[in-house]
Amino acid sequence: DMGIWKRNSLRFQLLNKLEKMVAIHAHSIITGTSHMVDQLQYLNKKVFRAPTAVDPEVFKFNAEAREKIRSELNIRDREVFIYLGKLGGLYYEEDVIHLLKAVQKIMPNSFFLIATNYDHNKLEEWFSRQNISKKDYVIRPFIPIEEVPSFLSAADMGICAIPPKPSQRFRSPTKVAEYLLCGLPFITCYGISEDDYWARKYNVGLALTRFDEASVLEERQVL
């Protein structure tokens, strides 16, 4: 899906064969989504769903941290969208900035917080290309895990930057669980794990066709 391996490559064929052998001979299989349960049941009847989870005693809303961080960033009255994590490879790159520009058109009071070890100069270039002012965003390195709940508490909506490739419905992103436990609704794409389903069913998130203006405008009533 991501163009990292070729389907006809020796690596892919060997790994695919070994995975099927393991699935057939395993006593039982634990996997992250109902999609993978359905995918594997023809190989092994003992397949169980156990989604990725995080500790609710660690990831929880912190009102004091929210006020402190928003004061430090001078964003007390802004609608803050946050993305923490990798970009590129299995994740969107410049498309994330396209998404933020679309959000800004609908919500001029929005502010964007990105914490990543991706090339910050490249991100600055993309923000500039979209005419997003430096007063409307901050880019910083990865946040230590013990500080993540505080930064999530300071935000108003989280972003899951996974492209909607066919294989991605088998993922179970930890980030979404962290967002929800800290009281954040989230933006994702259709076909990412089961997150699009839960977002719609419980009105806790926004599912897009892709990260661009047209897709955001289709769902603007939610924002």
Side-chain angles (χ1 to χ4, degrees):
D1 285 350
M2 301 295 183
I4 298 172
W5 282 15
K6 301 296 183 183
R7 183 169 290 276
N8 60 357
S9 70
L10 179 61
R11 289 190 302 174
F12 173 83
Q13 293 182 26
L14 179 60
L15 180 61
N16 187 250
K17 183 175 181 178
L18 290 173
E19 286 176 337
K20 286 183 177 179
M21 290 174 60
V22 170
I24 291 169
H25 296 291
H27 179 269
S28 58
I29 300 172
I30 297 175
T31 187
T33 70
S34 60
H35 303 305
M36 185 58 85
V37 172
D38 295 340
Q39 183 83 1
L40 293 177
Q41 279 186 332
Y42 83 100
L43 295 173
N44 190 318
K45 295 300 181 184
K46 294 184 178 180
V47 185
F48 305 95
R49 175 179 174 272
T52 301
V54 296
D55 189 344
E57 294 304 313
V58 174
F59 284 88
K60 54 187 176 182
F61 178 74
N62 185 326
E64 184 178 341
R66 177 181 175 86
E67 290 302 315
K68 180 176 182 294
I69 292 173
R70 291 174 74 93
S71 176
E72 290 173 351
L73 295 176
N74 194 28
I75 53 173
R76 284 195 178 93
D77 63 341
R78 308 288 296 269
E79 296 291 334
V80 180
F81 290 73
I82 191 169
Y83 178 72
L84 311 180
K86 297 177 182 178
L87 294 169
L90 295 176
Y91 301 88
Y92 273 129
E93 292 180 272
E94 188 174 0
D95 304 76
V96 173
I97 313 304
H98 293 167
L99 169 71
L100 301 183
K101 180 60 177 180
V103 167
Q104 188 181 60
K105 287 185 177 181
I106 298 170
M107 303 174 63
N109 195 42
S110 54
F111 183 87
F112 311 120
L113 172 56
I114 296 180
T116 181
N117 283 353
Y118 192 82
D119 186 340
H120 287 197
N121 291 328
K122 181 64 70 175
L123 289 170
E124 293 271 3
E125 177 186 330
W126 291 338
F127 271 113
S128 176
R129 191 179 298 170
Q130 294 299 320
N131 295 315
I132 299 177
S133 170
K134 289 189 175 183
K135 67 180 178 59
D136 293 329
Y137 69 88
V138 65
I139 305 170
R140 54 157 297 157
F142 278 143
I143 297 170
I145 187 64
E146 63 273 11
E147 298 178 25
V148 168
S150 294
F151 277 87
L152 295 184
S153 296
D156 299 295
M157 197 162 199
I159 297 171
C160 180
I162 300 174
K165 302 291 187 178
S167 65
Q168 301 310 297
R169 68 185 186 277
F170 302 120
R171 296 182 68 169
S172 184
T174 305
K175 189 176 279 82
V176 171
E178 295 172 351
Y179 289 155
L180 290 174
L181 284 176
C182 290
L184 286 182
F186 60 92
I187 297 176
T188 188
C189 283
Y190 286 104
I192 306 302
S193 188
E194 300 166 16
D195 296 336
D196 54 345
Y197 170 78
W198 299 115
R200 298 192 308 276
K201 180 174 182 179
Y202 293 106
N203 196 28
V204 294
L206 179 65
L208 304 175
T209 306
R210 55 196 172 276
F211 275 18
D212 64 11
E213 183 175 352
S215 186
V216 172
L217 290 176
E218 290 173 4
E219 305 290 338
R220 67 177 300 165
Q221 69 275 10
V222 180
L223 288 172

